[in-house]
Amino acid sequence: MNFSTINEALLEQITAVVGASAVFTDRDELHDYSHDETEDLQFYPQVLVKPQTPEQVSELMKLANENQIAVTPRGAGTGLSGGALPVHGGLLIAMEKFNKILEIDERNLQATVEPGVITEVLMDAAAEKGLLYPVDPASKGSCFIGGNVSHGSGGPRVVKYGTIREYILNLEVVLPSGEIVWTGANTLKFASGYNLTQLMIGSEGTLGIITK
């Protein structure tokens, strides 16, 4: 597919969605987002944005879709597979502002979190309530939950507890069209239709952007 570049008119529309303080185009500002932990690979985006709400992500995806702009979602950038690299330039959507633990439901043993929550922060928050969140990738002190989901992460305890696939009930996702959808339900048993939650896990941002 041939992608378009972001012109001044489109940049103004992007800025109107997230605000000028959340849009970055200077090469020095883009440097830290041009690589992850993959060795010797570097690709600069044309524009970096840092949205704070699913609605902002939705509007950005609509603009990108309408104008055929390449989009790369990015978590903490700790991956070793190049998944966060904007190989086609375009628009890089950094999810670092989505960093809240929204709820820990002790009765139902469920947590609702935004994708920019650091994995170890969730582990510690669960432990404070006498609960265990067992998924512990090696980079748990810096990687994001959203990245864990996108890569299907596990960690040393995977042999006993399984990967993150066993711990995700439902995802809020912004599709390439800009539509915001929930993929499942907050119940252990859910057998209605396709299992879109499991489809999204491990998809590395190619099917949509996880916002909860």
Side-chain angles (χ1 to χ4, degrees):
M1 180 176 180
N2 294 321
F3 294 105
S4 301
T5 57
I6 299 172
N7 57 33
E8 286 298 323
L10 182 54
L11 182 59
E12 289 180 5
Q13 290 179 282
I14 291 170
T15 303
V17 171
V18 296
S21 63
V23 178
F24 306 87
T25 57
D26 183 80
R27 194 168 179 84
D28 289 339
E29 295 172 324
L30 300 179
H31 176 76
D32 288 345
Y33 296 84
S34 66
H35 61 87
D36 57 9
E37 296 303 315
T38 310
E39 188 174 356
D40 297 330
L41 291 179
Q42 188 170 36
F43 299 89
Y44 280 81
Q46 188 180 355
V47 177
L48 162 69
V49 292
K50 298 181 180 182
Q52 299 186 63
T53 68
E55 291 74 22
Q56 288 180 342
V57 176
S58 173
E59 291 303 313
L60 291 170
M61 292 304 294
K62 288 177 184 177
L63 288 172
N65 191 36
E66 291 167 0
N67 293 277
Q68 294 188 313
I69 303 299
V71 174
T72 305
R74 180 185 175 96
T78 60
L80 296 168
S81 60
L85 299 179
V87 295
H88 296 290
L91 183 67
L92 190 147
I93 300 180
M95 300 300 288
E96 60 200 59
K97 300 291 187 181
F98 287 77
N99 57 7
K100 299 180 183 65
I101 296 176
L102 301 175
E103 180 186 17
I104 294 182
D105 181 349
E106 297 173 74
R107 182 174 182 180
N108 290 300
L109 304 179
Q110 296 179 14
T112 303
V113 304
E114 293 182 327
V117 171
I118 294 173
T119 303
E120 194 168 43
V121 171
L122 176 59
M123 296 171 73
D124 291 344
E128 288 176 4
K129 296 181 179 295
L131 303 174
L132 172 67
Y133 175 67
V135 181
D136 65 334
S139 57
K140 62 186 177 184
S142 55
C143 64
F144 292 169
I145 289 292
N148 295 173
V149 175
S150 295
H151 285 269
S153 298
R157 294 193 289 207
V158 67
V159 176
K160 181 175 182 179
Y161 294 106
T163 71
I164 199 169
R165 284 188 178 276
E166 281 69 58
Y167 298 94
I168 304 297
L169 296 174
N170 198 3
L171 295 168
E172 181 185 69
V173 178
V174 179
L175 300 179
S177 64
E179 182 181 1
I180 301 174
V181 301
W182 284 95
T183 61
N186 296 348
T187 58
L188 291 177
K189 181 175 176 58
F190 180 70
S192 177
Y194 296 111
N195 194 333
L196 299 180
T197 302
Q198 290 297 314
L199 180 66
M200 290 300 305
I201 297 170
S203 64
E204 298 192 18
T206 59
L207 301 178
I209 299 179
I210 297 166
T211 49
K212 284 189 187 69

Coordinates of all heavy atoms in Angstrom, one line a residue, residues 86-145:
P86 N 8.0 3.0 13.6 CA 7.2 3.6 12.4 C 7.9 3.4 11.1 O 8.4 4.4 10.5 CB 7.0 5.1 12.8 CG 8.3 5.3 13.6 CD 8.6 4.1 14.4
V87 N 7.9 2.2 10.6 CA 8.7 1.9 9.4 C 8.2 2.6 8.2 O 8.9 2.8 7.2 CB 8.7 0.4 9.1 CG1 9.4 -0.3 10.2 CG2 7.3 -0.2 9.0
H88 N 6.9 3.1 8.2 CA 6.4 3.9 7.0 C 6.3 5.4 7.4 O 5.6 6.1 6.6 CB 5.0 3.3 6.7 CG 5.0 1.9 6.2 ND1 5.6 1.6 4.9 CD2 4.6 0.8 6.7 CE1 5.5 0.3 4.8 NE2 4.9 -0.2 5.8
G89 N 7.0 5.8 8.5 CA 6.9 7.2 8.8 C 5.5 7.5 9.4 O 5.0 6.9 10.3
G90 N 4.8 8.5 8.8 CA 3.5 8.8 9.1 C 3.2 9.2 10.6 O 4.1 10.0 11.1
L91 N 2.2 8.8 11.2 CA 1.7 9.2 12.5 C 2.0 8.2 13.5 O 1.6 7.0 13.4 CB 0.2 9.5 12.4 CG -0.5 10.0 13.7 CD1 0.0 11.5 14.0 CD2 -2.0 10.0 13.5
L92 N 2.8 8.6 14.6 CA 3.0 7.7 15.7 C 2.2 8.1 16.8 O 2.2 9.3 17.3 CB 4.5 7.7 16.0 CG 4.9 6.6 17.0 CD1 6.3 6.1 16.8 CD2 4.8 7.0 18.5
I93 N 1.3 7.2 17.4 CA 0.5 7.5 18.5 C 1.0 6.9 19.7 O 1.0 5.7 19.9 CB -1.0 7.0 18.2 CG1 -1.6 7.6 17.0 CG2 -1.9 7.2 19.4 CD1 -3.0 7.2 16.6
A94 N 1.6 7.7 20.6 CA 2.2 7.2 21.9 C 1.1 7.2 22.9 O 0.4 8.2 23.1 CB 3.3 8.2 22.3
M95 N 1.0 6.1 23.6 CA 0.0 5.8 24.6 C 0.4 6.1 26.0 O -0.3 5.7 27.0 CB -0.5 4.4 24.4 CG -1.1 4.1 23.0 SD -2.5 5.1 22.6 CE -3.7 4.4 23.6
E96 N 1.4 6.8 26.2 CA 2.0 7.0 27.6 C 1.0 7.8 28.5 O 1.2 7.7 29.7 CB 3.3 7.7 27.5 CG 3.3 9.0 26.9 CD 4.7 9.4 26.4 OE1 5.3 8.7 25.5 OE2 5.2 10.4 26.8
K97 N 0.1 8.6 28.0 CA -0.8 9.4 28.8 C -1.9 8.5 29.3 O -2.6 8.9 30.3 CB -1.4 10.5 28.0 CG -0.3 11.5 27.5 CD 0.3 12.3 28.6 CE 1.2 13.4 28.0 NZ 1.9 14.2 29.1
F98 N -2.1 7.3 28.8 CA -3.2 6.4 29.3 C -2.6 5.6 30.4 O -2.3 4.4 30.2 CB -3.6 5.5 28.1 CG -4.5 6.2 27.1 CD1 -3.9 7.0 26.1 CD2 -5.8 6.0 27.0 CE1 -4.7 7.6 25.1 CE2 -6.6 6.6 26.1 CZ -6.1 7.4 25.1
N99 N -2.4 6.2 31.5 CA -1.6 5.5 32.6 C -2.3 5.4 33.9 O -1.7 5.3 35.0 CB -0.3 6.4 32.8 CG -0.6 7.8 33.2 OD1 -1.7 8.2 33.4 ND2 0.5 8.6 33.3
K100 N -3.6 5.2 33.9 CA -4.4 5.1 35.1 C -4.9 3.7 35.3 O -5.3 3.0 34.4 CB -5.6 6.0 35.1 CG -5.2 7.5 35.0 CD -6.5 8.4 34.9 CE -6.1 9.8 34.8 NZ -5.5 10.1 33.4
I101 N -4.8 3.2 36.6 CA -5.6 2.1 37.0 C -7.0 2.6 37.4 O -7.1 3.3 38.4 CB -4.9 1.4 38.3 CG1 -3.5 0.9 37.9 CG2 -5.7 0.2 38.8 CD1 -2.7 0.3 39.0
L102 N -7.9 2.2 36.6 CA -9.3 2.8 36.8 C -10.0 2.1 37.9 O -10.8 2.7 38.6 CB -10.1 2.6 35.5 CG -9.4 3.4 34.3 CD1 -10.2 3.1 33.0 CD2 -9.3 4.9 34.6
E103 N -9.8 0.8 38.1 CA -10.5 0.1 39.2 C -9.9 -1.3 39.4 O -9.4 -1.9 38.5 CB -12.0 -0.2 38.8 CG -12.8 -0.9 39.8 CD -14.2 -1.3 39.3 OE1 -14.4 -1.3 38.1 OE2 -15.1 -1.6 40.1
I104 N -9.8 -1.6 40.7 CA -9.5 -3.0 41.1 C -10.7 -3.5 41.9 O -11.0 -3.1 43.0 CB -8.2 -3.1 41.9 CG1 -7.0 -2.7 41.1 CG2 -8.0 -4.5 42.4 CD1 -5.7 -2.8 41.8
D105 N -11.4 -4.4 41.3 CA -12.6 -5.0 41.8 C -12.2 -6.3 42.6 O -12.1 -7.4 42.0 CB -13.6 -5.3 40.7 CG -14.9 -5.9 41.2 OD1 -15.0 -6.3 42.4 OD2 -15.8 -6.0 40.3
E106 N -12.1 -6.1 43.9 CA -11.7 -7.3 44.7 C -12.7 -8.4 44.8 O -12.3 -9.6 44.8 CB -11.4 -6.8 46.2 CG -10.2 -5.7 46.2 CD -10.1 -5.1 47.6 OE1 -9.6 -5.8 48.5 OE2 -10.5 -4.0 47.8
R107 N -13.9 -8.1 44.7 CA -15.0 -9.1 44.8 C -15.0 -10.0 43.6 O -15.1 -11.2 43.7 CB -16.3 -8.4 45.0 CG -17.5 -9.5 45.2 CD -18.8 -8.8 45.5 NE -19.8 -9.7 45.7 CZ -21.1 -9.4 46.0 NH1 -21.4 -8.1 46.1 NH2 -22.0 -10.4 46.1
N108 N -14.8 -9.4 42.4 CA -14.8 -10.2 41.2 C -13.4 -10.5 40.6 O -13.3 -11.1 39.6 CB -15.6 -9.4 40.1 CG -17.1 -9.4 40.5 OD1 -17.7 -10.4 40.6 ND2 -17.7 -8.2 40.6
L109 N -12.4 -10.1 41.4 CA -11.0 -10.4 41.0 C -10.7 -9.8 39.6 O -10.1 -10.5 38.8 CB -10.7 -11.9 41.1 CG -11.0 -12.5 42.5 CD1 -10.7 -14.0 42.4 CD2 -10.2 -11.9 43.6
Q110 N -11.1 -8.6 39.4 CA -10.9 -8.0 38.1 C -10.3 -6.6 38.3 O -10.5 -5.9 39.2 CB -12.2 -7.8 37.3 CG -12.8 -9.1 37.0 CD -14.2 -9.0 36.2 OE1 -14.5 -7.9 35.7 NE2 -14.9 -10.0 36.1
A111 N -9.4 -6.2 37.3 CA -8.9 -4.8 37.3 C -9.2 -4.2 35.9 O -9.2 -4.9 34.9 CB -7.4 -4.9 37.5
T112 N -9.5 -2.9 35.9 CA -9.7 -2.2 34.7 C -8.6 -1.1 34.6 O -8.5 -0.3 35.5 CB -11.1 -1.5 34.6 OG1 -12.1 -2.5 34.8 CG2 -11.3 -0.8 33.3
V113 N -7.8 -1.2 33.6 CA -6.6 -0.3 33.5 C -6.5 0.3 32.1 O -7.0 -0.3 31.1 CB -5.3 -1.1 33.9 CG1 -5.4 -1.7 35.2 CG2 -5.0 -2.1 32.8
E114 N -5.8 1.4 32.0 CA -5.5 2.0 30.7 C -4.2 1.3 30.2 O -3.4 0.8 31.0 CB -5.3 3.5 30.9 CG -6.6 4.2 31.2 CD -6.5 5.7 31.2 OE1 -5.4 6.2 31.7 OE2 -7.5 6.4 30.9
P115 N -3.9 1.4 28.9 CA -2.8 0.6 28.4 C -1.4 1.1 28.7 O -0.4 0.4 28.6 CB -3.0 0.7 26.9 CG -3.8 1.9 26.7 CD -4.7 2.0 27.9
G116 N -1.3 2.4 29.2 CA 0.0 2.9 29.6 C 0.4 2.7 31.0 O 1.4 3.2 31.4
V117 N -0.3 1.9 31.7 CA 0.0 1.5 33.1 C 1.3 0.6 33.0 O 1.3 -0.4 32.3 CB -1.1 0.8 33.8 CG1 -0.7 0.2 35.2 CG2 -2.3 1.8 34.0
I118 N 2.3 0.9 33.8 CA 3.5 0.0 33.9 C 3.1 -1.3 34.6 O 2.4 -1.3 35.6 CB 4.6 0.7 34.6 CG1 5.1 1.9 33.8 CG2 5.8 -0.2 34.9 CD1 6.1 2.8 34.5
T119 N 3.5 -2.4 34.0 CA 3.1 -3.7 34.5 C 3.4 -3.9 36.0 O 2.5 -4.4 36.7 CB 3.9 -4.8 33.7 OG1 3.6 -4.6 32.3 CG2 3.4 -6.2 34.1
E120 N 4.5 -3.5 36.4 CA 4.9 -3.7 37.9 C 4.0 -2.8 38.8 O 3.7 -3.2 39.9 CB 6.4 -3.4 38.1 CG 6.9 -3.9 39.5 CD 8.4 -3.8 39.6 OE1 9.0 -2.8 39.1 OE2 8.9 -4.8 40.1
V121 N 3.6 -1.7 38.3 CA 2.6 -0.8 39.0 C 1.3 -1.6 39.3 O 0.8 -1.5 40.4 CB 2.4 0.5 38.3 CG1 1.3 1.3 39.0 CG2 3.7 1.3 38.3
L122 N 0.8 -2.3 38.3 CA -0.4 -3.1 38.5 C -0.1 -4.2 39.4 O -1.0 -4.5 40.3 CB -0.9 -3.6 37.1 CG -2.1 -4.5 37.2 CD1 -3.3 -3.8 37.9 CD2 -2.5 -5.0 35.8
M123 N 1.0 -4.9 39.3 CA 1.3 -6.0 40.1 C 1.4 -5.5 41.6 O 0.8 -6.2 42.5 CB 2.7 -6.6 39.8 CG 2.7 -7.2 38.4 SD 4.4 -7.7 37.8 CE 4.7 -9.1 38.9
D124 N 2.0 -4.4 41.9 CA 2.1 -3.9 43.2 C 0.7 -3.4 43.7 O 0.4 -3.7 44.9 CB 3.0 -2.7 43.3 CG 4.5 -3.1 43.0 OD1 4.8 -4.3 43.1 OD2 5.3 -2.2 42.7
A125 N -0.1 -2.8 42.9 CA -1.5 -2.4 43.3 C -2.3 -3.6 43.7 O -3.1 -3.6 44.6 CB -2.1 -1.6 42.2
A126 N -2.2 -4.7 42.9 CA -2.9 -5.9 43.2 C -2.4 -6.5 44.5 O -3.2 -7.0 45.4 CB -2.8 -6.9 42.1
A127 N -1.1 -6.5 44.7 CA -0.5 -7.1 45.9 C -1.0 -6.4 47.2 O -1.2 -7.0 48.2 CB 1.0 -7.1 45.8
E128 N -1.1 -5.0 47.1 CA -1.6 -4.3 48.2 C -3.0 -4.7 48.7 O -3.4 -4.5 49.8 CB -1.6 -2.8 47.8 CG -0.2 -2.2 47.7 CD -0.3 -0.7 47.3 OE1 -1.4 -0.2 47.1 OE2 0.8 -0.1 47.1
K129 N -3.8 -5.3 47.8 CA -5.1 -5.8 48.1 C -5.1 -7.3 48.4 O -6.2 -7.9 48.4 CB -6.1 -5.4 47.0 CG -6.3 -3.9 46.8 CD -7.2 -3.5 45.8 CE -7.4 -2.0 45.6 NZ -8.0 -1.4 46.8
G130 N -3.9 -7.9 48.5 CA -3.8 -9.3 48.7 C -4.1 -10.1 47.5 O -4.4 -11.3 47.7
L131 N -3.9 -9.6 46.3 CA -4.2 -10.3 45.1 C -2.9 -10.5 44.3 O -1.9 -9.8 44.6 CB -5.2 -9.5 44.2 CG -6.6 -9.2 44.9 CD1 -7.4 -8.3 44.0 CD2 -7.3 -10.5 45.2
L132 N -2.9 -11.3 43.3 CA -1.8 -11.6 42.5 C -2.1 -11.4 41.0 O -3.0 -11.9 40.5 CB -1.3 -13.1 42.7 CG -0.2 -13.5 41.7 CD1 1.1 -12.8 42.0 CD2 0.0 -15.1 41.8
Y133 N -1.3 -10.5 40.4 CA -1.3 -10.4 39.0 C 0.0 -11.1 38.5 O 1.1 -10.5 38.7 CB -1.4 -9.0 38.5 CG -1.3 -8.9 37.0 CD1 -2.3 -9.4 36.2 CD2 -0.2 -8.3 36.4 CE1 -2.2 -9.3 34.8 CE2 -0.1 -8.2 35.0 CZ -1.1 -8.7 34.2 OH -1.0 -8.7 32.8
P134 N -0.1 -12.3 37.9 CA 1.1 -13.1 37.8 C 1.9 -12.9 36.5 O 3.0 -13.4 36.4 CB 0.5 -14.5 37.7 CG -0.8 -14.4 37.1 CD -1.3 -13.0 37.6
V135 N 1.4 -12.2 35.5 CA 2.2 -12.0 34.3 C 3.4 -11.0 34.5 O 3.2 -9.9 34.9 CB 1.3 -11.4 33.2 CG1 2.0 -11.3 31.9 CG2 0.0 -12.3 33.0
D136 N 4.6 -11.6 34.4 CA 5.7 -10.8 34.8 C 6.8 -10.8 33.7 O 7.9 -11.5 33.9 CB 6.3 -11.3 36.1 CG 6.8 -12.7 36.1 OD1 6.3 -13.5 35.2 OD2 7.7 -13.1 36.8
P137 N 6.7 -10.1 32.6 CA 7.7 -10.0 31.6 C 9.0 -9.5 32.2 O 9.0 -8.8 33.2 CB 7.2 -9.1 30.5 CG 6.1 -8.4 31.2 CD 5.5 -9.2 32.3
A138 N 10.1 -9.7 31.6 CA 11.4 -9.3 32.1 C 11.5 -7.8 32.3 O 12.2 -7.3 33.2 CB 12.6 -9.8 31.2
S139 N 10.8 -7.0 31.5 CA 10.8 -5.6 31.5 C 9.7 -5.0 32.3 O 9.2 -3.9 32.1 CB 10.8 -5.0 30.1 OG 9.7 -5.5 29.4
K140 N 9.2 -5.8 33.3 CA 7.9 -5.4 34.0 C 8.0 -4.0 34.7 O 7.0 -3.4 34.9 CB 7.6 -6.5 35.0 CG 8.6 -6.7 36.1 CD 8.3 -7.8 37.0 CE 9.4 -8.1 38.1 NZ 9.1 -9.3 38.9
G141 N 9.3 -3.6 35.0 CA 9.4 -2.3 35.7 C 9.3 -1.1 34.8 O 9.3 0.0 35.2
S142 N 9.2 -1.4 33.4 CA 9.1 -0.3 32.5 C 8.1 -0.5 31.4 O 7.7 0.5 30.7 CB 10.5 0.0 31.9 OG 11.0 -1.2 31.3
C143 N 7.8 -1.7 31.1 CA 6.9 -2.0 30.0 C 5.4 -1.7 30.4 O 5.1 -1.7 31.5 CB 7.0 -3.4 29.5 SG 6.5 -4.7 30.7
F144 N 4.6 -1.4 29.4 CA 3.2 -1.1 29.6 C 2.3 -2.3 29.4 O 2.6 -3.2 28.6 CB 2.7 0.0 28.6 CG 3.3 1.3 28.8 CD1 3.2 2.3 27.8 CD2 4.1 1.7 29.9 CE1 3.7 3.5 27.9 CE2 4.6 2.9 30.0 CZ 4.5 3.9 29.0
I145 N 1.2 -2.3 30.1 CA 0.2 -3.4 30.0 C -0.3 -3.5 28.6 O -0.5 -4.6 28.0 CB -1.0 -3.1 30.9 CG1 -0.6 -3.3 32.4 CG2 -2.2 -4.0 30.6 CD1 -0.3 -4.8 32.8

